[in-house]
Amino acid sequence: MSTSVKVTDTTKSRLEELQAEIRLETGQNVTQQELLERIVTDTYESKEELIESFRDDFEPLSDDEIEQWLAGSSDWGVETSEDDIDDVLYGE
């Protein structure tokens, strides 16, 4: 069974480069289908790194940065309830 997969021109070019390198290094001609199957199979077997590559590169603030951010706030001595906030935000 064969299914089409759309790829960008850059990805297509990289597949072609990989094909050429494999041919030069090993003397074997491989199809792009064979190449993609190998890439997917190998990646699937060690998928943690792939999954991690899709995570945000979020770095939490350091304690000093948190202190600096909090230093800009002040207590006005007024208690604010969730209902008060909802009224302001949503007009409820």
Side-chain angles (χ1 to χ4, degrees):
M1 181 175 138
S2 179
T3 302
S4 297
V5 176
K6 292 183 181 183
V7 295
T8 64
D9 290 339
T10 301
T11 300
K12 175 82 170 156
S13 177
R14 288 178 176 170
L15 283 171
E16 291 167 353
E17 287 178 30
L18 285 169
Q19 277 182 291
E21 285 186 49
I22 291 168
R23 186 172 43 254
L24 285 172
E25 296 287 328
T26 68
Q28 291 184 339
N29 288 322
V30 296
T31 66
Q32 289 182 5
Q33 180 178 342
E34 291 171 318
L35 184 54
L36 281 170
E37 285 179 8
R38 178 76 57 95
I39 291 168
V40 170
T41 299
D42 289 353
T43 303
Y44 186 81
E45 291 173 2
S46 59
K47 58 188 157 203
E48 290 80 18
E49 187 175 329
L50 176 66
I51 293 168
E52 284 299 316
S53 74
F54 283 93
R55 292 193 193 282
D56 289 338
D57 292 334
F58 173 77
E59 287 189 35
L61 296 175
S62 69
D63 289 341
D64 289 339
E65 291 169 323
I66 292 170
E67 285 298 320
Q68 182 180 0
W69 187 79
L70 290 174
S73 62
S74 59
D75 184 0
W76 292 10
V78 177
E79 291 290 323
T80 305
S81 71
E82 290 179 14
D83 290 335
D84 294 335
I85 294 170
D86 287 346
D87 284 344
V88 171
L89 291 176
Y90 309 113
E92 295 178 3

